[in-house]
Amino acid sequence: MRSAATPRRSVTVRVPAKINLELIVGPRRADGFHHLATVFHAVGLHDDVTVEAADDWGVTVNGPYASLVPADGTNLAMRAARLLASAAGVDEPVHITIDKDIPVSGGMAGGSADAAGTLMACDALWDVGSSKAALEEMGAELGSDVPFALTGGTAMGSGRGDRLAPVLGRGHYHWVLALSDSGLSTPKIYAELDRMRANGRVPKLVPSASMMTALRSGDAASLGRALNNDLQPAALSLQPRLEEVLRTGMEIGALGGIVSGSGPTVAFLVPDNERGLDLAVALTASGVSPAVKRAVGPVRGAHIVTGPVAPRSS
Ligand code: C5P
């Protein structure tokens, strides 16, 4: 219990979900990860991560997915806070509150988003002053998608997805996201891909010319045709009903549809906001998806929305 005189400071960081416009998966590396060439795209579906000085380390998750997220030391946000504390020599526990809107195990990097948000929020709360590069490096230790959650926008990812380079692109894109009520485990999807590919050829790790041209032109129809995800067949193999989701969205008039990352969220590209609303309504009515959201991309990466606020009594 906090006494009335105790100063309390908090920082809130807003951090976006991602989809992969293109995800080319190469061979498995010695460390168990796969070589990737990917085009990340941050979309306007966010988690808000608040860190607050506290007597003890803790984490609370709010929102419809709260029961699916561990609230102990295995939580990726908690691991992020402790990693930064140890790197910066800080001994000030924080309580982390995650207001969660990004689906859990949905292929949209929600856990990575929370880790990225926590790194940025703790850095501000503790006044560490880390460079963006230092936060990205720490983020890469926590998960392959954490550096991108810090960066946002649209970016090329290489290595295991953690090495980023800017993409020349323009335009804003309207997405309809068909969520699923049962998640998919990322390691299982990669293992399924390896199984399906046994003795087969692995692709060259270069983003397609059609993707780069589409992004440079800002033409949504070209982007819709260029969407490509090597993990999609593995996601469809483990959740065959996703084929019906994809087929329904395309029949209703999406410019393109793709499983997001390791799935099971399916992202549909539409020409504008109005068509997005139409598709969302039609997808919901068709009954193929238990929940549908709309989002625009690209959006900025993790950024502070409040704080540090200090001191205040409570
Ligand atoms: O880095 P992240 O925690 O997101 O990875 C989760 C799992 O996904 C890894 O343990 C690994 O099984 C798989 N993965 C992979 N190759 C990558 C990224 C993730 O095999 N490039």
PDB file of all heavy atoms in Angstrom, residues 8-42:
ATOM      1  N   ARG A   8       5.035   9.145  -6.705  1.00  0.00           N
ATOM      2  CA  ARG A   8       4.767   8.075  -7.660  1.00  0.00           C
ATOM      3  C   ARG A   8       5.011   8.623  -9.060  1.00  0.00           C
ATOM      4  O   ARG A   8       4.565   9.704  -9.398  1.00  0.00           O
ATOM      5  CB  ARG A   8       3.323   7.612  -7.533  1.00  0.00           C
ATOM      6  CG  ARG A   8       3.026   6.472  -8.476  1.00  0.00           C
ATOM      7  CD  ARG A   8       1.813   5.734  -8.066  1.00  0.00           C
ATOM      8  NE  ARG A   8       0.602   6.461  -8.386  1.00  0.00           N
ATOM      9  CZ  ARG A   8      -0.609   5.936  -8.217  1.00  0.00           C
ATOM     10  NH1 ARG A   8      -0.752   4.746  -7.713  1.00  0.00           N
ATOM     11  NH2 ARG A   8      -1.678   6.625  -8.528  1.00  0.00           N
ATOM     12  N   ARG A   9       5.761   7.880  -9.830  1.00  0.00           N
ATOM     13  CA  ARG A   9       6.021   8.321 -11.187  1.00  0.00           C
ATOM     14  C   ARG A   9       5.599   7.204 -12.121  1.00  0.00           C
ATOM     15  O   ARG A   9       5.758   6.037 -11.821  1.00  0.00           O
ATOM     16  CB  ARG A   9       7.519   8.585 -11.382  1.00  0.00           C
ATOM     17  CG  ARG A   9       8.065   9.633 -10.446  1.00  0.00           C
ATOM     18  CD  ARG A   9       9.442  10.028 -10.857  1.00  0.00           C
ATOM     19  NE  ARG A   9      10.345   8.887 -10.940  1.00  0.00           N
ATOM     20  CZ  ARG A   9      11.305   8.757 -11.842  1.00  0.00           C
ATOM     21  NH1 ARG A   9      11.502   9.675 -12.746  1.00  0.00           N
ATOM     22  NH2 ARG A   9      12.100   7.713 -11.840  1.00  0.00           N
ATOM     23  N   SER A  10       5.096   7.570 -13.269  1.00  0.00           N
ATOM     24  CA  SER A  10       4.748   6.536 -14.228  1.00  0.00           C
ATOM     25  C   SER A  10       4.990   7.034 -15.651  1.00  0.00           C
ATOM     26  O   SER A  10       4.980   8.241 -15.903  1.00  0.00           O
ATOM     27  CB  SER A  10       3.298   6.094 -14.045  1.00  0.00           C
ATOM     28  OG  SER A  10       2.438   7.043 -14.603  1.00  0.00           O
ATOM     29  N   VAL A  11       5.242   6.089 -16.527  1.00  0.00           N
ATOM     30  CA  VAL A  11       5.410   6.395 -17.956  1.00  0.00           C
ATOM     31  C   VAL A  11       4.552   5.418 -18.750  1.00  0.00           C
ATOM     32  O   VAL A  11       4.567   4.216 -18.475  1.00  0.00           O
ATOM     33  CB  VAL A  11       6.881   6.234 -18.403  1.00  0.00           C
ATOM     34  CG1 VAL A  11       7.027   6.546 -19.894  1.00  0.00           C
ATOM     35  CG2 VAL A  11       7.816   7.115 -17.593  1.00  0.00           C
ATOM     36  N   THR A  12       3.808   5.931 -19.723  1.00  0.00           N
ATOM     37  CA  THR A  12       3.022   5.060 -20.609  1.00  0.00           C
ATOM     38  C   THR A  12       3.565   5.147 -22.028  1.00  0.00           C
ATOM     39  O   THR A  12       3.799   6.242 -22.550  1.00  0.00           O
ATOM     40  CB  THR A  12       1.537   5.467 -20.595  1.00  0.00           C
ATOM     41  OG1 THR A  12       1.038   5.327 -19.263  1.00  0.00           O
ATOM     42  CG2 THR A  12       0.703   4.584 -21.521  1.00  0.00           C
ATOM     43  N   VAL A  13       3.783   3.980 -22.607  1.00  0.00           N
ATOM     44  CA  VAL A  13       4.250   3.894 -23.996  1.00  0.00           C
ATOM     45  C   VAL A  13       3.205   3.149 -24.817  1.00  0.00           C
ATOM     46  O   VAL A  13       2.694   2.117 -24.377  1.00  0.00           O
ATOM     47  CB  VAL A  13       5.623   3.170 -24.063  1.00  0.00           C
ATOM     48  CG1 VAL A  13       5.995   2.826 -25.506  1.00  0.00           C
ATOM     49  CG2 VAL A  13       6.711   4.033 -23.437  1.00  0.00           C
ATOM     50  N   ARG A  14       2.905   3.696 -25.976  1.00  0.00           N
ATOM     51  CA  ARG A  14       1.966   3.030 -26.903  1.00  0.00           C
ATOM     52  C   ARG A  14       2.775   2.321 -27.979  1.00  0.00           C
ATOM     53  O   ARG A  14       3.717   2.891 -28.531  1.00  0.00           O
ATOM     54  CB  ARG A  14       1.050   4.075 -27.538  1.00  0.00           C
ATOM     55  CG  ARG A  14       0.081   3.483 -28.544  1.00  0.00           C
ATOM     56  CD  ARG A  14      -1.093   4.399 -28.753  1.00  0.00           C
ATOM     57  NE  ARG A  14      -1.842   4.519 -27.510  1.00  0.00           N
ATOM     58  CZ  ARG A  14      -2.812   5.392 -27.303  1.00  0.00           C
ATOM     59  NH1 ARG A  14      -3.138   6.240 -28.251  1.00  0.00           N
ATOM     60  NH2 ARG A  14      -3.448   5.432 -26.162  1.00  0.00           N
ATOM     61  N   VAL A  15       2.417   1.081 -28.264  1.00  0.00           N
ATOM     62  CA  VAL A  15       3.241   0.305 -29.193  1.00  0.00           C
ATOM     63  C   VAL A  15       2.346  -0.514 -30.127  1.00  0.00           C
ATOM     64  O   VAL A  15       1.330  -1.067 -29.708  1.00  0.00           O
ATOM     65  CB  VAL A  15       4.279  -0.529 -28.377  1.00  0.00           C
ATOM     66  CG1 VAL A  15       3.630  -1.419 -27.379  1.00  0.00           C
ATOM     67  CG2 VAL A  15       5.202  -1.310 -29.270  1.00  0.00           C
ATOM     68  N   PRO A  16       2.691  -0.511 -31.420  1.00  0.00           N
ATOM     69  CA  PRO A  16       1.791  -1.109 -32.413  1.00  0.00           C
ATOM     70  C   PRO A  16       2.003  -2.599 -32.645  1.00  0.00           C
ATOM     71  O   PRO A  16       3.069  -3.146 -32.368  1.00  0.00           O
ATOM     72  CB  PRO A  16       2.165  -0.348 -33.701  1.00  0.00           C
ATOM     73  CG  PRO A  16       3.634  -0.105 -33.551  1.00  0.00           C
ATOM     74  CD  PRO A  16       3.875   0.108 -32.062  1.00  0.00           C
ATOM     75  N   ALA A  17       0.985  -3.218 -33.238  1.00  0.00           N
ATOM     76  CA  ALA A  17       1.096  -4.583 -33.765  1.00  0.00           C
ATOM     77  C   ALA A  17       1.773  -4.516 -35.130  1.00  0.00           C
ATOM     78  O   ALA A  17       1.881  -3.453 -35.735  1.00  0.00           O
ATOM     79  CB  ALA A  17      -0.297  -5.179 -33.916  1.00  0.00           C
ATOM     80  N   LYS A  18       2.219  -5.671 -35.614  1.00  0.00           N
ATOM     81  CA  LYS A  18       2.791  -5.728 -36.971  1.00  0.00           C
ATOM     82  C   LYS A  18       2.121  -6.820 -37.781  1.00  0.00           C
ATOM     83  O   LYS A  18       1.575  -7.795 -37.231  1.00  0.00           O
ATOM     84  CB  LYS A  18       4.311  -5.962 -36.936  1.00  0.00           C
ATOM     85  CG  LYS A  18       4.770  -7.299 -36.330  1.00  0.00           C
ATOM     86  CD  LYS A  18       4.814  -8.477 -37.305  1.00  0.00           C
ATOM     87  CE  LYS A  18       5.065  -9.794 -36.610  1.00  0.00           C
ATOM     88  NZ  LYS A  18       4.727 -10.972 -37.357  1.00  0.00           N
ATOM     89  N   ILE A  19       2.167  -6.604 -39.101  1.00  0.00           N
ATOM     90  CA  ILE A  19       1.936  -7.727 -40.005  1.00  0.00           C
ATOM     91  C   ILE A  19       3.188  -7.830 -40.875  1.00  0.00           C
ATOM     92  O   ILE A  19       3.989  -6.892 -40.926  1.00  0.00           O
ATOM     93  CB  ILE A  19       0.655  -7.545 -40.859  1.00  0.00           C
ATOM     94  CG1 ILE A  19       0.710  -6.263 -41.676  1.00  0.00           C
ATOM     95  CG2 ILE A  19      -0.576  -7.524 -39.983  1.00  0.00           C
ATOM     96  CD1 ILE A  19      -0.570  -6.046 -42.497  1.00  0.00           C
ATOM     97  N   ASN A  20       3.383  -8.959 -41.533  1.00  0.00           N
ATOM     98  CA  ASN A  20       4.495  -9.082 -42.464  1.00  0.00           C
ATOM     99  C   ASN A  20       3.914  -9.047 -43.866  1.00  0.00           C
ATOM    100  O   ASN A  20       3.122  -9.914 -44.233  1.00  0.00           O
ATOM    101  CB  ASN A  20       5.256 -10.402 -42.264  1.00  0.00           C
ATOM    102  CG  ASN A  20       5.794 -10.552 -40.856  1.00  0.00           C
ATOM    103  OD1 ASN A  20       5.041 -10.858 -39.937  1.00  0.00           O
ATOM    104  ND2 ASN A  20       7.073 -10.312 -40.676  1.00  0.00           N
ATOM    105  N   LEU A  21       4.287  -8.017 -44.631  1.00  0.00           N
ATOM    106  CA  LEU A  21       3.779  -7.916 -46.006  1.00  0.00           C
ATOM    107  C   LEU A  21       4.405  -9.005 -46.856  1.00  0.00           C
ATOM    108  O   LEU A  21       3.783  -9.508 -47.790  1.00  0.00           O
ATOM    109  CB  LEU A  21       4.127  -6.537 -46.585  1.00  0.00           C
ATOM    110  CG  LEU A  21       3.612  -5.337 -45.786  1.00  0.00           C
ATOM    111  CD1 LEU A  21       4.078  -4.041 -46.437  1.00  0.00           C
ATOM    112  CD2 LEU A  21       2.090  -5.381 -45.682  1.00  0.00           C
ATOM    113  N   GLU A  22       5.647  -9.318 -46.530  1.00  0.00           N
ATOM    114  CA  GLU A  22       6.323 -10.437 -47.188  1.00  0.00           C
ATOM    115  C   GLU A  22       7.162 -11.129 -46.120  1.00  0.00           C
ATOM    116  O   GLU A  22       7.785 -10.471 -45.285  1.00  0.00           O
ATOM    117  CB  GLU A  22       7.212  -9.938 -48.327  1.00  0.00           C
ATOM    118  CG  GLU A  22       7.932 -11.066 -49.041  1.00  0.00           C
ATOM    119  CD  GLU A  22       8.268 -10.721 -50.487  1.00  0.00           C
ATOM    120  OE1 GLU A  22       8.776  -9.609 -50.709  1.00  0.00           O
ATOM    121  OE2 GLU A  22       8.031 -11.561 -51.380  1.00  0.00           O
ATOM    122  N   LEU A  23       7.151 -12.438 -46.127  1.00  0.00           N
ATOM    123  CA  LEU A  23       7.944 -13.188 -45.144  1.00  0.00           C
ATOM    124  C   LEU A  23       8.548 -14.388 -45.860  1.00  0.00           C
ATOM    125  O   LEU A  23       7.850 -15.343 -46.196  1.00  0.00           O
ATOM    126  CB  LEU A  23       7.050 -13.622 -43.976  1.00  0.00           C
ATOM    127  CG  LEU A  23       7.664 -14.470 -42.854  1.00  0.00           C
ATOM    128  CD1 LEU A  23       8.982 -13.896 -42.357  1.00  0.00           C
ATOM    129  CD2 LEU A  23       6.700 -14.577 -41.687  1.00  0.00           C
ATOM    130  N   ILE A  24       9.843 -14.270 -46.128  1.00  0.00           N
ATOM    131  CA  ILE A  24      10.551 -15.351 -46.814  1.00  0.00           C
ATOM    132  C   ILE A  24      11.392 -16.070 -45.764  1.00  0.00           C
ATOM    133  O   ILE A  24      12.185 -15.441 -45.046  1.00  0.00           O
ATOM    134  CB  ILE A  24      11.449 -14.790 -47.937  1.00  0.00           C
ATOM    135  CG1 ILE A  24      10.582 -14.020 -48.936  1.00  0.00           C
ATOM    136  CG2 ILE A  24      12.208 -15.912 -48.635  1.00  0.00           C
ATOM    137  CD1 ILE A  24      11.365 -13.227 -49.945  1.00  0.00           C
ATOM    138  N   VAL A  25      11.172 -17.351 -45.635  1.00  0.00           N
ATOM    139  CA  VAL A  25      11.846 -18.129 -44.591  1.00  0.00           C
ATOM    140  C   VAL A  25      12.913 -19.008 -45.229  1.00  0.00           C
ATOM    141  O   VAL A  25      12.615 -19.823 -46.106  1.00  0.00           O
ATOM    142  CB  VAL A  25      10.837 -19.004 -43.815  1.00  0.00           C
ATOM    143  CG1 VAL A  25      11.548 -19.774 -42.705  1.00  0.00           C
ATOM    144  CG2 VAL A  25       9.713 -18.150 -43.236  1.00  0.00           C
ATOM    145  N   GLY A  26      14.139 -18.819 -44.786  1.00  0.00           N
ATOM    146  CA  GLY A  26      15.264 -19.619 -45.284  1.00  0.00           C
ATOM    147  C   GLY A  26      15.490 -20.818 -44.383  1.00  0.00           C
ATOM    148  O   GLY A  26      14.596 -21.239 -43.644  1.00  0.00           O
ATOM    149  N   PRO A  27      16.703 -21.352 -44.447  1.00  0.00           N
ATOM    150  CA  PRO A  27      16.984 -22.551 -43.666  1.00  0.00           C
ATOM    151  C   PRO A  27      17.078 -22.276 -42.170  1.00  0.00           C
ATOM    152  O   PRO A  27      17.267 -21.128 -41.745  1.00  0.00           O
ATOM    153  CB  PRO A  27      18.347 -23.009 -44.205  1.00  0.00           C
ATOM    154  CG  PRO A  27      18.903 -21.858 -44.949  1.00  0.00           C
ATOM    155  CD  PRO A  27      17.803 -20.920 -45.301  1.00  0.00           C
ATOM    156  N   ARG A  28      16.963 -23.334 -41.408  1.00  0.00           N
ATOM    157  CA  ARG A  28      17.111 -23.263 -39.957  1.00  0.00           C
ATOM    158  C   ARG A  28      18.581 -23.023 -39.641  1.00  0.00           C
ATOM    159  O   ARG A  28      19.466 -23.624 -40.242  1.00  0.00           O
ATOM    160  CB  ARG A  28      16.649 -24.611 -39.394  1.00  0.00           C
ATOM    161  CG  ARG A  28      16.315 -24.613 -37.958  1.00  0.00           C
ATOM    162  CD  ARG A  28      15.452 -25.852 -37.675  1.00  0.00           C
ATOM    163  NE  ARG A  28      15.026 -25.847 -36.310  1.00  0.00           N
ATOM    164  CZ  ARG A  28      15.675 -26.494 -35.341  1.00  0.00           C
ATOM    165  NH1 ARG A  28      16.737 -27.222 -35.611  1.00  0.00           N
ATOM    166  NH2 ARG A  28      15.240 -26.412 -34.097  1.00  0.00           N
ATOM    167  N   ARG A  29      18.839 -22.142 -38.680  1.00  0.00           N
ATOM    168  CA  ARG A  29      20.225 -21.842 -38.287  1.00  0.00           C
ATOM    169  C   ARG A  29      20.647 -22.757 -37.144  1.00  0.00           C
ATOM    170  O   ARG A  29      19.814 -23.438 -36.544  1.00  0.00           O
ATOM    171  CB  ARG A  29      20.346 -20.381 -37.822  1.00  0.00           C
ATOM    172  CG  ARG A  29      19.647 -19.387 -38.713  1.00  0.00           C
ATOM    173  CD  ARG A  29      19.988 -17.950 -38.419  1.00  0.00           C
ATOM    174  NE  ARG A  29      19.908 -17.552 -37.010  1.00  0.00           N
ATOM    175  CZ  ARG A  29      19.963 -16.291 -36.594  1.00  0.00           C
ATOM    176  NH1 ARG A  29      20.088 -15.309 -37.480  1.00  0.00           N
ATOM    177  NH2 ARG A  29      19.889 -15.997 -35.324  1.00  0.00           N
ATOM    178  N   ALA A  30      21.938 -22.689 -36.830  1.00  0.00           N
ATOM    179  CA  ALA A  30      22.469 -23.542 -35.758  1.00  0.00           C
ATOM    180  C   ALA A  30      21.800 -23.213 -34.416  1.00  0.00           C
ATOM    181  O   ALA A  30      21.639 -24.085 -33.557  1.00  0.00           O
ATOM    182  CB  ALA A  30      23.970 -23.356 -35.660  1.00  0.00           C
ATOM    183  N   ASP A  31      21.364 -21.941 -34.230  1.00  0.00           N
ATOM    184  CA  ASP A  31      20.752 -21.559 -32.946  1.00  0.00           C
ATOM    185  C   ASP A  31      19.258 -21.894 -32.900  1.00  0.00           C
ATOM    186  O   ASP A  31      18.571 -21.535 -31.937  1.00  0.00           O
ATOM    187  CB  ASP A  31      20.978 -20.059 -32.653  1.00  0.00           C
ATOM    188  CG  ASP A  31      20.328 -19.155 -33.701  1.00  0.00           C
ATOM    189  OD1 ASP A  31      19.627 -19.662 -34.602  1.00  0.00           O
ATOM    190  OD2 ASP A  31      20.523 -17.927 -33.617  1.00  0.00           O
ATOM    191  N   GLY A  32      18.729 -22.553 -33.947  1.00  0.00           N
ATOM    192  CA  GLY A  32      17.320 -22.972 -33.931  1.00  0.00           C
ATOM    193  C   GLY A  32      16.403 -21.971 -34.615  1.00  0.00           C
ATOM    194  O   GLY A  32      15.285 -22.321 -34.993  1.00  0.00           O
ATOM    195  N   PHE A  33      16.852 -20.727 -34.781  1.00  0.00           N
ATOM    196  CA  PHE A  33      16.042 -19.736 -35.503  1.00  0.00           C
ATOM    197  C   PHE A  33      16.219 -19.945 -37.006  1.00  0.00           C
ATOM    198  O   PHE A  33      17.142 -20.637 -37.433  1.00  0.00           O
ATOM    199  CB  PHE A  33      16.478 -18.317 -35.133  1.00  0.00           C
ATOM    200  CG  PHE A  33      16.057 -17.910 -33.745  1.00  0.00           C
ATOM    201  CD1 PHE A  33      16.884 -18.157 -32.652  1.00  0.00           C
ATOM    202  CD2 PHE A  33      14.835 -17.306 -33.521  1.00  0.00           C
ATOM    203  CE1 PHE A  33      16.492 -17.799 -31.371  1.00  0.00           C
ATOM    204  CE2 PHE A  33      14.440 -16.943 -32.243  1.00  0.00           C
ATOM    205  CZ  PHE A  33      15.268 -17.185 -31.165  1.00  0.00           C
ATOM    206  N   HIS A  34      15.351 -19.332 -37.781  1.00  0.00           N
ATOM    207  CA  HIS A  34      15.446 -19.433 -39.236  1.00  0.00           C
ATOM    208  C   HIS A  34      15.949 -18.116 -39.819  1.00  0.00           C
ATOM    209  O   HIS A  34      15.595 -17.044 -39.318  1.00  0.00           O
ATOM    210  CB  HIS A  34      14.073 -19.767 -39.836  1.00  0.00           C
ATOM    211  CG  HIS A  34      13.622 -21.158 -39.529  1.00  0.00           C
ATOM    212  ND1 HIS A  34      13.244 -21.538 -38.265  1.00  0.00           N
ATOM    213  CD2 HIS A  34      13.513 -22.270 -40.307  1.00  0.00           C
ATOM    214  CE1 HIS A  34      12.909 -22.821 -38.272  1.00  0.00           C
ATOM    215  NE2 HIS A  34      13.078 -23.288 -39.501  1.00  0.00           N
ATOM    216  N   HIS A  35      16.731 -18.234 -40.889  1.00  0.00           N
ATOM    217  CA  HIS A  35      17.110 -17.034 -41.641  1.00  0.00           C
ATOM    218  C   HIS A  35      15.847 -16.467 -42.287  1.00  0.00           C
ATOM    219  O   HIS A  35      15.059 -17.223 -42.857  1.00  0.00           O
ATOM    220  CB  HIS A  35      18.092 -17.394 -42.758  1.00  0.00           C
ATOM    221  CG  HIS A  35      19.414 -17.868 -42.264  1.00  0.00           C
ATOM    222  ND1 HIS A  35      20.418 -17.010 -41.861  1.00  0.00           N
ATOM    223  CD2 HIS A  35      19.916 -19.112 -42.112  1.00  0.00           C
ATOM    224  CE1 HIS A  35      21.469 -17.704 -41.480  1.00  0.00           C
ATOM    225  NE2 HIS A  35      21.197 -18.987 -41.614  1.00  0.00           N
ATOM    226  N   LEU A  36      15.679 -15.168 -42.189  1.00  0.00           N
ATOM    227  CA  LEU A  36      14.480 -14.528 -42.760  1.00  0.00           C
ATOM    228  C   LEU A  36      14.836 -13.372 -43.677  1.00  0.00           C
ATOM    229  O   LEU A  36      15.864 -12.716 -43.492  1.00  0.00           O
ATOM    230  CB  LEU A  36      13.605 -13.911 -41.653  1.00  0.00           C
ATOM    231  CG  LEU A  36      12.992 -14.768 -40.568  1.00  0.00           C
ATOM    232  CD1 LEU A  36      12.091 -13.899 -39.703  1.00  0.00           C
ATOM    233  CD2 LEU A  36      12.208 -15.908 -41.178  1.00  0.00           C
ATOM    234  N   ALA A  37      13.958 -13.123 -44.636  1.00  0.00           N
ATOM    235  CA  ALA A  37      13.917 -11.819 -45.301  1.00  0.00           C
ATOM    236  C   ALA A  37      12.458 -11.413 -45.229  1.00  0.00           C
ATOM    237  O   ALA A  37      11.580 -12.125 -45.735  1.00  0.00           O
ATOM    238  CB  ALA A  37      14.375 -11.924 -46.751  1.00  0.00           C
ATOM    239  N   THR A  38      12.197 -10.310 -44.565  1.00  0.00           N
ATOM    240  CA  THR A  38      10.795  -9.948 -44.357  1.00  0.00           C
ATOM    241  C   THR A  38      10.568  -8.461 -44.540  1.00  0.00           C
ATOM    242  O   THR A  38      11.514  -7.659 -44.453  1.00  0.00           O
ATOM    243  CB  THR A  38      10.311 -10.417 -42.959  1.00  0.00           C
ATOM    244  OG1 THR A  38       8.898 -10.247 -42.861  1.00  0.00           O
ATOM    245  CG2 THR A  38      10.989  -9.655 -41.836  1.00  0.00           C
ATOM    246  N   VAL A  39       9.334  -8.100 -44.824  1.00  0.00           N
ATOM    247  CA  VAL A  39       8.938  -6.692 -44.832  1.00  0.00           C
ATOM    248  C   VAL A  39       7.893  -6.527 -43.730  1.00  0.00           C
ATOM    249  O   VAL A  39       6.784  -7.047 -43.826  1.00  0.00           O
ATOM    250  CB  VAL A  39       8.358  -6.262 -46.201  1.00  0.00           C
ATOM    251  CG1 VAL A  39       7.967  -4.781 -46.153  1.00  0.00           C
ATOM    252  CG2 VAL A  39       9.359  -6.510 -47.319  1.00  0.00           C
ATOM    253  N   PHE A  40       8.333  -5.852 -42.668  1.00  0.00           N
ATOM    254  CA  PHE A  40       7.443  -5.575 -41.538  1.00  0.00           C
ATOM    255  C   PHE A  40       6.598  -4.344 -41.841  1.00  0.00           C
ATOM    256  O   PHE A  40       7.070  -3.392 -42.482  1.00  0.00           O
ATOM    257  CB  PHE A  40       8.262  -5.227 -40.292  1.00  0.00           C
ATOM    258  CG  PHE A  40       8.980  -6.356 -39.620  1.00  0.00           C
ATOM    259  CD1 PHE A  40      10.372  -6.378 -39.598  1.00  0.00           C
ATOM    260  CD2 PHE A  40       8.291  -7.348 -38.946  1.00  0.00           C
ATOM    261  CE1 PHE A  40      11.056  -7.376 -38.927  1.00  0.00           C
ATOM    262  CE2 PHE A  40       8.973  -8.352 -38.269  1.00  0.00           C
ATOM    263  CZ  PHE A  40      10.358  -8.364 -38.253  1.00  0.00           C
ATOM    264  N   HIS A  41       5.397  -4.317 -41.275  1.00  0.00           N
ATOM    265  CA  HIS A  41       4.502  -3.176 -41.479  1.00  0.00           C
ATOM    266  C   HIS A  41       3.729  -2.985 -40.167  1.00  0.00           C
ATOM    267  O   HIS A  41       3.001  -3.895 -39.743  1.00  0.00           O
ATOM    268  CB  HIS A  41       3.561  -3.542 -42.641  1.00  0.00           C
ATOM    269  CG  HIS A  41       2.615  -2.476 -43.077  1.00  0.00           C
ATOM    270  ND1 HIS A  41       3.012  -1.322 -43.714  1.00  0.00           N
ATOM    271  CD2 HIS A  41       1.262  -2.410 -43.012  1.00  0.00           C
ATOM    272  CE1 HIS A  41       1.960  -0.592 -44.021  1.00  0.00           C
ATOM    273  NE2 HIS A  41       0.880  -1.230 -43.586  1.00  0.00           N
ATOM    274  N   ALA A  42       3.907  -1.833 -39.532  1.00  0.00           N
ATOM    275  CA  ALA A  42       3.223  -1.582 -38.250  1.00  0.00           C
ATOM    276  C   ALA A  42       1.817  -1.067 -38.531  1.00  0.00           C
ATOM    277  O   ALA A  42       1.627  -0.178 -39.364  1.00  0.00           O
ATOM    278  CB  ALA A  42       4.006  -0.557 -37.441  1.00  0.00           C
TER     279      ALA A  42
END
